[in-house]
Amino acid sequence: MLPLSARRSAVRPSRLATAVATIGIAVALGTTGCGAGQISQTANQLPAVNGANVNIDSLQLRDVQIVYPEKDAPTVFGNGGPFEIAFVVANSDPTVYYRLKEIKPEKGSIEFVEGSDSADRVIPPGQALRGGTPVGATRDGEKKVTAELTNAGDTVASGLTTELTFVFERRESNGSWVPAGETTVQTPVDAGAKLERQDVARNAEPTFYNQGHGEGGHGEGEGGAPETGNEEGGGH
């Protein structure tokens, strides 16, 4: 049987090895978890645009939104329109011509006020079609149309989304147009580019202190102490 000192010497390396292994596993797990979190966050990042984004074949629908009315918004919402529809459709196909046939709303109807001729809604290869004026400037080389939604009832409301279905056609080699599919977009209501932004914080409701309660009225702050005045016989 080994002496006590020999047994202690045999146990110490084993305990040390176990402790080192435990620390190594903890560091490895911590590093792996941090890395996985960063990759996950990066993978879920979305473009900094205000509207919805949808792809259909070689077409990319970007920044689809219902522009918030700039004048008499309560009346426009109460009447269910007219609302301007803003969007960009880009054609990434190098050879195929597409055309926006129509936009079908959840309720009501959408008419092309500008671009009523179907030829105005053709999207050549590598080009884009812009509808309305979403937040951001119109780029050179984009075709422009104006789509207007009316009789939408209560399907359009600020802070909510409404379904808009975009229907497309594709031009065949003989010049005829055939269906190219459709996609439904959950479309938010957003402010137009021309609206003035107000970054001023203000109270939604009056509070106890800003109503000037107490004997001192508006001249008192918290605890009843005067805000700007000095005590009698003191101050400068």
Side-chain angles (χ1 to χ4, degrees), residues 2-12:
L2 293 175
L4 181 59
S5 60
R7 280 182 289 168
R8 288 177 177 174
S9 300
V11 171
R12 285 174 182 171

Side-chain angles (χ1 to χ4, degrees), residues 63 95-96 172 233:
D63 210 6
T95 58
V96 178
E172 299 285 84

Side-chain angles (χ1 to χ4, degrees), residues 29-214:
L29 289 175
T31 304
T32 303
C34 180
Q38 291 176 351
I39 293 173
S40 176
Q41 292 172 7
T42 304
N44 292 331
Q45 288 180 348
L46 297 175
V49 294
N50 298 289
N53 303 316
V54 176
N55 296 336
I56 173 172
D57 294 333
S58 298
L59 297 174
Q60 293 83 44
L61 265 166
R62 294 293 180 264
D63 210 6
V64 183
Q65 58 188 270
I66 297 174
V67 179
Y68 192 92
E70 297 184 11
K71 297 180 179 180
D72 200 10
T75 301
V76 175
F77 279 103
N79 294 335
F83 298 102
E84 183 181 16
I85 309 299
F87 60 88
V88 177
V89 187
N91 178 11
S92 62
D93 195 287
T95 58
V96 178
Y97 283 75
Y98 286 92
R99 181 170 67 186
L100 176 59
K101 180 181 179 181
E102 61 178 329
I103 305 174
K104 298 184 294 185
E106 188 174 332
K107 183 179 180 180
S109 61
I110 294 179
E111 295 183 1
F112 291 99
V113 178
E114 180 182 356
S116 57
D117 190 333
S118 60
D120 296 331
R121 303 193 299 274
V122 174
I123 314 169
Q127 300 297 316
L129 175 69
R130 178 179 291 274
T133 309
V135 177
T138 303
R139 298 179 180 179
D140 294 337
E142 289 180 340
K143 299 180 68 175
K144 178 78 162 40
V145 298
T146 301
E148 193 172 80
L149 168 61
T150 56
N151 300 320
D154 58 359
T155 60
V156 177
S158 182
L160 301 179
T161 61
T162 185
E163 292 185 353
L164 299 181
T165 301
F166 288 73
V167 184
F168 296 96
E169 296 176 312
R170 182 183 68 250
R171 192 173 73 180
E172 299 285 84
S173 57
N174 60 5
S176 62
W177 291 91
V178 298
E182 61 183 49
T183 182
T184 299
V185 183
Q186 295 294 333
T187 308
V189 176
D190 201 16
K194 296 181 180 180
L195 289 181
E196 181 180 357
R197 180 173 178 174
Q198 298 181 4
D199 292 325
V200 180
R202 38 187 169 309
N203 291 329
E205 297 179 358
T207 63
F208 178 85
Y209 294 108
N210 64 25
Q211 285 184 2
H213 288 278

Side-chain angles (χ1 to χ4, degrees), residues 219-220 225-232 234-236:
E220 291 186 356
E227 294 180 351
T228 57
N230 299 311
E231 297 180 358
E232 294 183 3
H236 298 282

